[in-house]
Amino acid sequence: MIAPMGNFALQALMREAAVTLDRSRCVRHRCTANACTRCIDVCPTDSFTWTKGGLQINPDTCTQCLSCLSVCPTAALASPGLSLPQVLADLAQHRLPVLGCKGQPGSDAHVRISCLGYLAHPELMTILALVFPEGLQLNLTACDECPNGHILDGIVTAHGRLHGSVSNHAVKLIRDKKDLEYAAATLSRRQFFLLFQERTNRAAVTMVKRLQDNIEQKTYGKKQIPEIRALLLKAMSASTAARKESIKEQQFGKITFTSDCCHSERCVGVCPTGAIRSSRMSNSPPVFDQTLCTSCFSCQAFCRNRGVVLSDNSQIPLVTKREQGL
Ligand code: SF4
């Protein structure tokens, strides 16, 4: 017999999860030697805790700032209903697109996500710069008054890093309303899209179509690169060799096998993305593919001999509670 469900249990089931966790992709769940605390450190409301049962998220205290998504190296965290390819496609329908947030519905925006804190992810910011070479405005005009205003530092940092890898990009952070160029769409989406295709920013439409077309998330067994990395690699494929190299050097991790490497290839198994693969030779270190490395540190943490060293080029902006004075 099924016991009657109390109101509290029912409410708990019905409560919408602000952020979801896929434990099979969380590096700390996958590799016990990896003491990754990025989501715990970045969350301003202490909504993450590490317990005997693993990582827990408290949906009651989460304010959906999405900062945790921007620092997770393997995209183990997700925001239900947020589809990056769809966001890009919707933005590409506007001549001078404006991205805003759902938390401030009074602000001007063509497309909204639950919080712009998601954009603190350097790879995501780079995708925006590559896909919208003719311009994209991020509407941050209401952030100063918003309870999630702490996200600004991460966004400014990720945006600042763009100058090194995508010179002459046209992604603008709009902090003052008078700087915003916003034209509300008066046509239907279909009409606007047809008009848009005829006369304007073809580059963005073409790029988005290419990105949506068969996003190649390389998989090796249970290994998978995050969707953001898959999209970035695709967006980079249309870039010059120099730009590709610059993005790779500035944003992707790089590992070195030291003379202490015993060639046991245990790191091959622990790498969640397939960035390290067997050399199939007993006296050689494994083969490393920098384009797949997301700087999760698992290989370095797992190697007992200190045979692997990671140079974390990603410099994912970790805004810790300590730094925020919380
Ligand atoms: S190579 Fe190392 S740091 Fe890079 S994704 Fe694989 S396990 Fe993580």
Side-chain angles (χ1 to χ4, degrees), residues 255 267 270-273 275-276 288 292-300 310:
I255 62 171
C267 52
V270 82
C271 175
T273 63
I276 312 177
F288 174 64
L292 304 183
C293 176
T294 58
S295 305
C296 76
F297 278 98
S298 290
C299 52
Q300 183 174 308
L310 169 73

Side-chain angles (χ1 to χ4, degrees), residues 170-285:
V171 177
K172 288 186 187 165
L173 305 187
I174 308 294
R175 305 281 298 268
D176 193 324
K177 279 182 191 166
K178 69 175 169 32
D179 297 329
L180 188 71
E181 286 183 60
Y182 177 71
T186 51
L187 303 173
S188 72
R189 280 167 60 113
R190 181 174 162 70
Q191 287 170 320
F192 195 92
F193 190 55
L194 291 174
L195 190 66
F196 169 73
Q197 277 193 312
E198 277 171 24
R199 70 174 189 202
T200 69
N201 193 348
R202 279 175 194 276
V205 174
T206 310
M207 176 71 89
V208 168
K209 277 186 179 160
R210 192 183 316 138
L211 292 183
Q212 284 183 313
D213 180 30
N214 183 24
I215 298 170
E216 190 186 356
Q217 278 183 275
K218 293 185 183 176
T219 54
Y220 303 97
K222 289 187 175 170
K223 300 170 187 288
Q224 190 175 45
I225 58 169
E227 183 184 56
I228 283 190
R229 175 60 63 87
L231 287 168
L232 178 56
L233 292 177
K234 261 200 158 185
M236 283 168 63
S237 63
S239 299
T240 61
R243 177 168 279 175
K244 276 186 212 161
E245 195 54 32
S246 150
I247 294 172
K248 204 169 86 175
E249 281 309 304
Q250 295 204 23
Q251 304 204 10
F252 299 170
K254 188 173 186 179
I255 62 171
T256 310
F257 296 102
T258 70
S259 55
D260 292 323
C261 172
C262 66
H263 308 157
S264 67
E265 299 198 337
R266 283 154 48 92
C267 52
V268 173
V270 82
C271 175
T273 63
I276 312 177
R277 278 186 276 173
S278 172
S279 69
R280 302 189 189 283
M281 288 187 279
S282 57
N283 56 353
S284 299

